[in-house]
Amino acid sequence: MANIIAFDVDGTLFNTMKGVQAALNHTLAVYKLPPVPDEDMSQYIGPPIRESFTKLLNNRDLAEEATILFRQVYVDKYLKLSAYYDNMERLLPKLILEKDAVLCIATLKTQRQMEILSSQFSLSDSFDTILGTTEDGKLKKWQMLMSLKEKYGMENNTFYMIGDTMRDYEAAKEADFHFIGVSYGYGSFPDNFEHPVA
């Protein structure tokens, strides 16, 4: 029996705060809006970026436009500021060797962003499947998880999702994955949360 483990990226595998924050404020400056203060940034990093811009710009059409701009400047200038969380690079080989794990990524970062991250950090050395969303953001995380079930087959496999937000948990629940939450990321879990939080 193999353990199929799908990791979220932002706030789980990688600390991407510096780059996302810089790209967010870069985009807001284009619309002549002030930067988001550091203490308020957690409201906007974690949810899908389109939703964050809808709140910040109070206009759905502008939010669509801003999302496209954000993704462009993030890839061109700020994605390189990403870094693995402490000890993550040591954990991944242990999961493969000691837990018979097949490691995957399911993230709302776009496939293009993930190709760049994969090249920078040699992700294919540890991860068997890397799934990002489409440029229009319509591919949802739960759909990615379901595709992993189709790829690896449900017989003799156990499926896990590791993430840092309730949205990750909801995607796992929708796809009938076991869920493990991380406490160091950008999200939070309620005190009565019934699933493991590492």
Side-chain angles (χ1 to χ4, degrees):
M1 176 181 288
N3 295 303
I4 314 300
I5 304 177
F7 282 84
D8 173 51
V9 171
D10 296 290
T12 303
L13 272 178
F14 287 96
N15 185 345
T16 55
M17 178 70 80
K18 284 184 181 178
V20 174
Q21 183 172 1
L24 182 73
N25 286 334
H26 179 123
T27 304
L28 290 176
V30 170
Y31 293 92
K32 305 203 177 344
L33 291 173
V36 174
D38 289 351
E39 61 270 21
D40 295 337
M41 190 59 69
S42 62
Q43 298 176 46
Y44 304 107
I45 295 180
I49 196 65
R50 183 179 284 99
E51 291 182 17
S52 295
F53 279 122
T54 300
K55 287 181 184 177
L56 289 162
L57 299 171
N58 199 28
N59 182 306
R60 283 192 174 276
D61 291 336
L62 284 182
E64 290 291 328
E65 181 182 283
T67 297
I68 294 169
L69 174 59
F70 167 87
R71 286 179 171 157
Q72 179 180 334
V73 299
Y74 180 58
V75 166
D76 292 345
K77 298 185 68 172
Y78 302 114
L79 184 57
K80 61 188 177 184
L81 299 178
S82 302
Y84 267 122
Y85 278 106
D86 291 346
N87 299 319
M88 188 59 69
E89 286 178 283
R90 288 190 298 189
L91 170 67
L92 299 175
K94 283 189 171 187
L95 288 173
I96 295 169
L97 294 173
E98 297 177 14
K99 302 298 183 183
D100 190 26
V102 176
L103 304 185
C104 306
I105 288 175
T107 177
L108 293 183
K109 278 190 162 353
T110 65
Q111 198 66 39
R112 179 171 172 238
Q113 290 171 1
M114 288 313 302
E115 287 168 3
I116 293 169
L117 267 185
S118 184
S119 175
Q120 183 176 344
F121 292 96
S122 302
L123 295 182
S124 59
D125 291 348
S126 298
F127 293 93
D128 188 70
T129 303
I130 299 173
L131 300 174
T133 192
T134 49
E135 290 294 331
D136 61 12
K138 290 183 178 178
L139 180 61
K140 305 304 181 186
K141 191 169 290 186
W142 70 268
Q143 294 171 313
M144 298 177 206
L145 297 180
M146 291 300 296
S147 74
L148 294 177
K149 280 191 165 180
E150 292 174 11
K151 177 174 181 175
Y152 295 104
M154 296 177 62
E155 188 174 349
N156 297 324
N157 290 320
T158 304
F159 293 84
Y160 296 88
M161 171 78 207
I162 301 179
D164 67 314
T165 68
M166 285 300 294
R167 288 175 182 271
D168 292 325
Y169 164 69
E170 288 160 4
K173 185 177 178 182
E174 184 76 22
D176 198 24
F177 272 53
H178 299 286
F179 182 75
I180 299 171
V182 300
S183 58
Y184 54 79
Y186 306 144
S188 62
F189 299 100
D191 292 337
N192 62 349
F193 192 62
E194 297 178 351
H195 296 262
V197 177

